[in-house]
Amino acid sequence: MKAQENLYKQYYGYIMSISMRFSSCRDNALEITNDSFLKIFKGIESFKVEKEFKVWIRRIAINTAIDYY
């Protein structure tokens, strides 16, 4: 639980900035951001260590935003 909190705090701004590129409404961007984190937390076990983590979460955020619209 603490690790998830730290991950959220560390990458919140990054994912929010991605979400804001897809939505001019801050409320929608916040929803996309939170949905992205839910997907990240659920799928963290599928992350492959040889890949860069930031690229992996970026792809999740983009796909979540696309799915939102």
Side-chain angles (χ1 to χ4, degrees):
M1 195 68 130
K2 188 69 173 166
Q4 288 180 343
E5 181 182 348
N6 289 337
L7 185 77
Y8 187 86
K9 287 178 181 178
Q10 183 174 356
Y11 289 103
Y12 171 81
Y14 179 65
I15 294 182
M16 187 64 167
S17 70
I18 294 168
S19 300
M20 289 296 291
R21 290 183 203 144
F22 286 87
S23 175
S24 58
C25 175
R26 186 164 176 81
D27 289 337
N28 290 346
L30 183 59
E31 189 170 340
I32 291 167
T33 298
N34 287 330
D35 288 348
S36 296
F37 274 108
L38 286 175
K39 290 179 181 181
I40 290 166
F41 295 148
K42 286 181 181 178
I44 195 82
E45 293 163 356
S46 69
F47 171 69
K48 293 180 176 44
V49 179
E50 62 272 0
K51 293 187 177 185
E52 188 175 341
F53 186 71
K54 200 169 185 179
V55 173
W56 183 72
I57 65 170
R58 180 178 187 270
R59 176 57 35 211
I60 290 173
I62 290 170
N63 288 341
T64 302
I66 290 170
D67 289 347
Y68 187 81
Y69 290 104

